[in-house]
Amino acid sequence: MNCSATAVLDDLPRRLRSAGLPVTPDMIQDFLAALATIPFDAPGELYWIARTVFLKSPEALPCFDQAFRGWLHGLAPPALERPGEAGEDEQRLDQRGSVRSAIRIETGEGGGLEAADADGTGARRTRPLPSSLRARAAAEASRAAMPRRLSRRLVPARRGAIDLAKTLRQDRTLAGAFKPVPRRGRPHMPRRLLMLVDVSGSMKSVSPDALAVAHALVRALPATEVFCFGTRLTRVTRLLARADLDVAMARLADILTDWDGGTRIGDSLAAFLERSHHATLVRGAVVAIVSDGFERGDPARMVQATARLARLAHRLIWASPMLADPRYQPQTRAMQAVLASIDRMADAASIAAWMGFPAALAAAQARPRGSAATQFRLGGSA
């Protein structure tokens, strides 16, 4: 990121502030630091980075989207239009256009938020080192795409059943004065996300990125649960709840004795399901198994455990780094057998590849259960 690009992209925080969003100097510093350290080549990635840094409440999302789209397409903000500064605005717009060319941002029909959607299913990139900010962007995108369910808890709402207790208390307090009848309803809330991350030796190059995304998801989605497995199963949700990613990764390195070791996928999944509390975590949840599928143990145990996970879960997604290669076809006996239980396979080769996880979620929701085999041409058939 050169200086001129930084100067022009600094205009985005001003646009968000003029739209009414609370943009602090610390946020601007975080945003510019992210742009200086994180390479991006698509407006979709820039959207998620800006959204991660500046958006602090879901209620402000429509305002943020409108301001971002206006900035991306070079529309002058009404709040910034002042007499005598037309020349400065034109100069700023010209400079912005030149910098967009330098950073390869295209502002055609598919720019802005549409580009963010397209970027989620588009080109895959690799990144050798985990980035907490990029992981947060991937987590925010996944949180927004997470399927929702009705909560069991009743909360105050504009529509729904009458809150009798509150109505009686209100009548005693107001002595017959008019006031809207209090009501309660069940809000929609994201489903639980359960991540089972393979940390065996064959996943050595990608497991740190997967754990960085898991760390961001634990903080973005409070109901997220994360387990690691190689030759044994370890629950790591509490460790990943720490704010500092480096501290969390250091603690994981201390307790994961099987990190970069052997692979026992079937035994680990079976050990997970043997505990009734763990099985409770699966019911109604979105389950993501992060593994390359290279089973060194009994493939039958892996197939049986995966099938039971699929029956308990709302959706089962297998995130594999092997999908970074578009020519990949499941060739092992175990992977071919578990395809009938998997709803969708997703790319997990890097943090950038996790930006495609929301698209995998949407595809899993739209298609019949166990349709992951349709992604491949097995046995020479479509």
Side-chain angles (χ1 to χ4, degrees):
M1 179 64 61
N2 54 43
C3 296
S4 60
T6 302
V8 172
L9 289 170
D10 185 46
D11 185 50
L12 176 60
R14 281 198 292 272
R15 172 68 69 95
L16 297 175
R17 185 186 289 117
S18 66
L21 293 172
V23 178
T24 65
D26 290 341
M27 292 180 183
I28 296 175
Q29 290 298 325
D30 291 344
F31 180 63
L32 295 180
L35 296 180
T37 57
I38 298 176
F40 63 90
D41 56 4
E45 293 191 6
L46 180 61
Y47 168 79
W48 286 114
I49 292 173
R51 177 170 160 171
T52 301
V53 173
F54 294 114
L55 187 64
K56 299 304 178 186
S57 67
E59 293 78 11
L61 179 59
C63 182
F64 173 85
D65 286 349
Q66 183 179 6
F68 185 89
R69 182 178 284 112
W71 171 84
L72 188 65
H73 291 276
L75 303 178
L80 296 180
E81 290 181 352
R82 288 176 295 184
E85 292 188 352
E88 296 180 5
D89 291 341
E90 293 177 358
Q91 182 179 2
R92 186 185 298 120
L93 292 176
D94 293 341
Q95 188 182 10
R96 185 186 303 161
S98 63
V99 173
R100 283 203 186 96
S101 300
I103 61 180
R104 291 182 293 167
I105 292 181
E106 297 178 357
T107 58
E109 294 295 330
L113 310 186
E114 292 78 8
D117 297 334
D119 185 70
T121 58
R124 304 181 177 97
R125 291 165 290 279
T126 58
R127 183 172 177 80
L129 297 176
S131 166
S132 59
L133 190 57
R134 181 165 288 216
R136 284 171 54 192
E140 286 294 329
S142 299
R143 184 180 67 85
M146 188 62 60
R148 294 180 174 270
R149 65 171 179 83
L150 277 177
S151 172
R152 296 185 178 89
R153 300 182 60 182
L154 292 170
V155 299
R158 297 180 60 183
R159 297 179 180 178
I162 296 176
D163 189 343
L164 294 177
K166 190 172 182 180
T167 301
L168 293 174
R169 290 196 302 271
Q170 181 175 285
D171 285 345
R172 287 197 299 268
T173 304
L174 299 178
F178 175 77
K179 193 171 184 180
V181 177
R183 297 178 181 274
R184 297 191 301 173
R186 301 182 188 276
H188 286 84
M189 57 187 302
R191 290 182 177 273
R192 174 184 292 113
L193 175 63
L194 172 65
M195 294 185 69
L196 300 166
V197 183
D198 185 349
V199 293
S200 62
S202 60
M203 292 281 291
K204 181 177 181 179
S205 61
V206 297
S207 58
D209 283 357
L211 290 172
V213 174
H215 171 266
L217 282 167
V218 167
R219 299 186 61 79
L221 279 170
T224 302
E225 290 283 348
V226 184
F227 291 78
C228 291
F229 66 89
T231 57
R232 57 191 291 268
L233 186 71
T234 307
R235 186 178 186 178
V236 297
T237 307
R238 186 169 299 178
L239 290 178
L240 292 176
R242 295 171 179 267
D244 193 306
L245 174 61
D246 294 334
V247 174
M249 297 293 282
R251 289 288 296 130
L252 286 177
D254 292 337
I255 68 168
L256 294 177
T257 57
D258 56 343
W259 201 339
D260 299 341
T263 308
R264 292 290 187 272
I265 301 176
D267 293 342
S268 300
L269 297 183
F272 175 85
L273 291 169
E274 285 174 358
R275 299 190 61 176
S276 58
H277 173 65
H278 291 170
T280 303
L281 297 177
V282 185
R283 290 191 177 92
V286 174
V287 178
I289 300 177
V290 186
S291 174
D292 52 14
F294 292 154
E295 171 65 295
R296 299 294 181 88
D298 183 4
R301 284 179 66 82
M302 173 177 161
V303 174
Q304 293 170 1
T306 305
R308 188 181 173 197
L309 278 173
R311 288 194 297 270
L312 293 173
H314 174 71
R315 289 292 186 276
L316 174 60
I317 295 177
W318 194 292
S320 170
M322 306 302 294
L323 267 74
D325 185 352
R327 300 167 300 177
Y328 169 72
Q329 298 289 323
Q331 297 292 339
T332 63
R333 186 177 57 175
M335 282 305 299
Q336 289 190 355
V338 300
L339 279 179
S341 302
I342 300 172
D343 298 309
R344 195 70 180 176
M345 291 195 70
D347 185 2
S350 65
I351 292 180
W354 277 93
M355 294 297 291
F357 189 72
L361 273 176
Q365 287 282 107
R367 293 176 178 273
R369 297 295 310 273
S371 59
T374 59
Q375 295 178 248
F376 309 100
R377 294 178 177 273
L378 301 176
S381 60

